[in-house]
Amino acid sequence: MADSSFDVVSKIDRQEVDNALNQTVKEVGHRFDFKGTGAGIAWSGQDNIQIKANSEERANAVLDVFKEKIIKRGLSLKVLDAGEPKLSGKEYQLAIALKEGIDQEHAKKISKIIRDEGPKGVKAQIQGDELRVSSKKKDELQDVISLLKGKELDIALQFTNYR
């Protein structure tokens, strides 16, 4: 009998992030507490988002609105890597990087969790920025998925290619 397997990945649905960003732009434009503050949010390249405002509190308030929209769109906040607001000229700027893919350090950490705490017949292989988990029994794979969902990792995980 062939092994069953699935992939552990960390991918971002860019369309959902874009929708959340557009909703944030609308809300910031309409809300009374943002009037006249120069507050705004926009894409800054492929994987970065830039927030601008005239005070540190306003920049953080825009970030809070954006986080709220991200959650409503069904995305994890772990995909966001927000810095601190920095004064640039007369306005504060806050840079947010989007985290995608599983780096080697996290892949090794997840692989160790599967080895140490998962069922004995399960194997995990690192393949670039994803992890392939395989076993002879599908029940063991489901146990691994439950195990990983229960762990507090600082990256968002999805489980794909389940076969």
Side-chain angles (χ1 to χ4, degrees), residues 21-115:
L21 185 102
N22 290 334
Q23 288 176 340
T24 305
V25 167
K26 264 187 197 168
E27 186 165 328
V28 167
H30 288 91
R31 270 183 39 182
F32 179 75
D33 55 334
F34 287 117
K35 294 274 190 237
T37 62
I41 182 171
W43 282 105
S44 172
Q46 186 74 17
D47 293 331
N48 294 307
I49 295 170
Q50 189 78 28
I51 294 176
K52 295 178 182 179
N54 66 355
S55 74
E56 194 172 341
E57 292 80 27
R58 285 287 150 238
N60 284 325
V62 173
L63 177 61
D64 289 342
V65 171
F66 182 59
K67 284 181 176 178
E68 181 184 307
K69 300 301 180 192
I70 285 283
I71 291 170
K72 280 188 179 172
R73 306 266 351 145
L75 298 171
S76 171
L77 289 179
K78 293 177 183 176
V79 301
L80 301 179
D81 187 17
E84 290 297 315
K86 292 184 177 60
L87 188 60
S88 173
K90 289 186 176 182
E91 67 182 5
Y92 282 85
Q93 294 186 348
L94 192 148
I96 304 170
L98 300 177
K99 295 189 290 186
E100 188 171 38
I102 301 174
D103 59 12
Q104 285 294 322
E105 180 185 325
H106 282 99
K108 287 178 183 175
K109 190 174 175 183
I110 293 168
S111 184
K112 183 172 175 14
I113 290 170
I114 293 170
R115 251 194 337 269

